[in-house]
Amino acid sequence: MARARTIKPHFMRSRSMRAVSGMARLTFIQLWLIADDAGRIDARPLPLARRLYPGDAEAAGLLPGWLDELEGQHCIERYSVDGDDYLRIVNWRRHQKIYHPTPSRLPARPVGARQESGELHESLGSDGEKPCTAKALGPDCENSRALRETRESLGEKPQNPCGPALSPAFPSDS
């Protein structure tokens, strides 16, 4: 199911977005709209092209190139599980606050999956893949205990770091 998502003001100035074509940028934004609450998408080429660009016969042939651009900038990661193609949006939870998350029906990237560069990224079951049990999924949830203890040691009132709050600034890379 498509969801409303957030595009932060610094999006267009990020290094990764300046390095890709306009159609790759548009594709990236459209991927956010169809991603599940874990940032995962069924990436079978023809169905994906039809979802992103309905009625555009040329999109199916061009979409792989746009996805290559996005993967080259580490905006997405493509992977296969049991012969089915999927993709995940990198840093999904850093840039999207998800209230009342729905568990993903799509499989996570397999443990130890590597990008073509050979660089090892987070593996299945890491804190980055596990949903926070709080109301909102966000970067503060992962460090809530340390943040709370630091604030308490400084004499500040304890806050609910996993509750609704302003999003952190969009970094220069996605």
Side-chain angles (χ1 to χ4, degrees):
M1 175 169 93
R3 300 275 195 150
R5 302 294 187 194
T6 303
I7 301 172
K8 297 181 181 173
H10 297 90
F11 171 80
M12 62 285 228
R13 290 190 299 269
S14 73
R15 187 175 9 165
S16 58
M17 289 300 101
R18 289 189 321 244
V20 299
S21 68
M23 286 305 293
R25 284 192 295 274
L26 177 61
T27 298
F28 192 40
I29 293 169
Q30 288 179 261
L31 288 172
W32 300 347
L33 299 175
I34 64 169
D36 67 14
D37 289 344
R40 300 177 195 149
I41 301 166
D42 180 344
R44 290 174 293 149
L46 192 55
L48 182 59
R50 287 180 178 157
R51 282 184 79 188
L52 295 174
Y53 298 99
D56 186 342
E58 295 177 6
L62 299 171
L63 183 60
W66 301 328
L67 294 175
D68 288 343
E69 289 182 60
L70 294 170
E71 192 167 33
Q73 292 300 314
H74 308 288
C75 298
I76 64 169
E77 287 182 342
R78 292 183 273 192
Y79 60 96
S80 293
V81 174
D82 296 329
D84 294 322
D85 295 328
Y86 302 95
L87 67 80
R88 76 175 195 93
I89 299 171
V90 176
N91 296 324
W92 176 252
R93 291 195 179 125
R94 182 184 304 167
H95 302 302
Q96 299 296 319
K97 294 275 187 186
I98 310 295
Y99 298 94
H100 309 292
T102 304
S104 181
R105 295 180 184 174
L106 302 176
R109 184 173 37 92
V111 175
R114 297 175 183 268
Q115 287 191 326
E116 289 180 18
S117 67
E119 182 180 345
L120 182 63
H121 289 275
E122 64 186 294
S123 61
L124 174 63
S126 71
D127 290 336
E129 288 284 329
K130 293 177 183 174
C132 179
T133 57
K135 182 178 178 183
L137 294 178
D140 293 333
C141 293
E142 296 166 5
N143 300 318
S144 60
R145 186 176 192 176
L147 183 62
R148 183 176 56 248
E149 290 172 356
T150 302
R151 286 185 174 155
E152 288 173 355
S153 71
L154 295 173
E156 294 181 19
K157 283 183 171 181
Q159 297 177 1
N160 179 2
C162 294
L166 294 175
S167 299
F170 192 94
S172 63
D173 286 318
S174 54

